[in-house]
Amino acid sequence: MHLLSSARVKAGESVLVHGASGGVGLAACQIARAYGLKVLGTAGTEEGQKIVLQNGAHEVFNHREVNYIDKIKKYAGEKGIDVITEMLANVNLSKDLSLLSHGGRVIVVGNRGTIEINPRDTMAKESSIIGVTLFSSTKEEFQQYAAALQAGMEIGWLKPVIGSQYPLEKVAEAHKDIIHGSGATGKMILLL
């Protein structure tokens, strides 16, 4: 919910969710679809691509393919993408800017390092890069998001997808897998 409010989305706009097969990505796809957005996603495995399509995406692209950005550009057409949810900005941000529509927004959710971009890429399209973190929400905002998500689960448009499960004593292994793994499918959880 925080992602969509930060992006100021409107029904009918397009959204590209990078890393859409992970827990956050799948939730973003489901929520965006429920909001009436045209949902595109990326995933790096055949299993991941399948689950992204099953969870609200209209189209999915394999981010391990060398020319996947060109495929997204072709699919989006001249208009471009209105909103990009970016899970790994240090890898994708420069490419994201080339995909945006006029007034498009990149919502940075995740990052693992630095990246060099050309600010001119934001100027021509009057686009924005917006960083978000749930921890910066006020108590009232957090309560609003929680209520909306709870309602989504009760009604059925939000269905959390559980991925890898680790007992608490294997938390170090879970951390290693999420940092060095080849991709996620669903939300990783720790079992008590």
Side-chain angles (χ1 to χ4, degrees), residues 175-186:
H175 186 260
K176 184 180 118 219
D177 289 351
I178 204 162
I179 297 296
H180 302 293
S182 61
T185 304

Side-chain angles (χ1 to χ4, degrees), residues 5-124:
S5 65
S6 296
R8 303 171 315 280
V9 298
K10 299 178 206 82
E13 286 189 314
S14 59
V15 61
L16 171 63
V17 180
H18 276 298
S21 63
V24 173
L26 289 170
C29 287
Q30 292 174 14
I31 294 166
R33 184 68 180 256
Y35 267 70
L37 302 176
K38 178 77 169 187
V39 183
L40 312 176
T42 69
T45 66
E46 191 173 315
E47 177 189 7
Q49 291 171 50
K50 183 178 174 185
I51 200 164
V52 169
L53 288 171
Q54 292 170 345
N55 283 276
H58 293 90
E59 189 66 44
V60 65
F61 302 89
N62 184 339
H63 60 240
R64 295 191 195 281
E65 291 180 6
V66 175
N67 63 340
Y68 84 100
I69 293 292
D70 294 331
K71 290 181 178 181
I72 295 170
K73 282 182 183 178
K74 184 176 180 181
Y75 186 87
E78 286 186 35
K79 181 181 185 294
I81 306 290
D82 297 307
V83 176
I84 299 175
T85 302
E86 183 51 69
M87 307 293 178
L88 197 56
N90 58 298
V91 173
N92 299 314
L93 185 58
S94 184
K95 295 177 224 166
D96 291 343
L97 297 177
S98 74
L99 293 170
L100 287 174
S101 65
H102 185 82
R105 290 87 69 203
V106 177
I107 307 302
V108 177
V109 178
N111 183 59
R112 293 187 184 167
T114 60
I115 187 169
E116 184 173 320
I117 64 166
N118 184 343
R120 288 188 185 277
D121 293 338
T122 64
M123 295 163 58

Side-chain angles (χ1 to χ4, degrees), residues 163-182:
S164 307
Q165 300 180 40
Y166 294 83
L168 190 56
E169 59 270 11
K170 292 196 176 184
V171 69
E173 181 182 335
H175 186 260
K176 184 180 118 219
D177 289 351
I178 204 162
I179 297 296
H180 302 293
S182 61

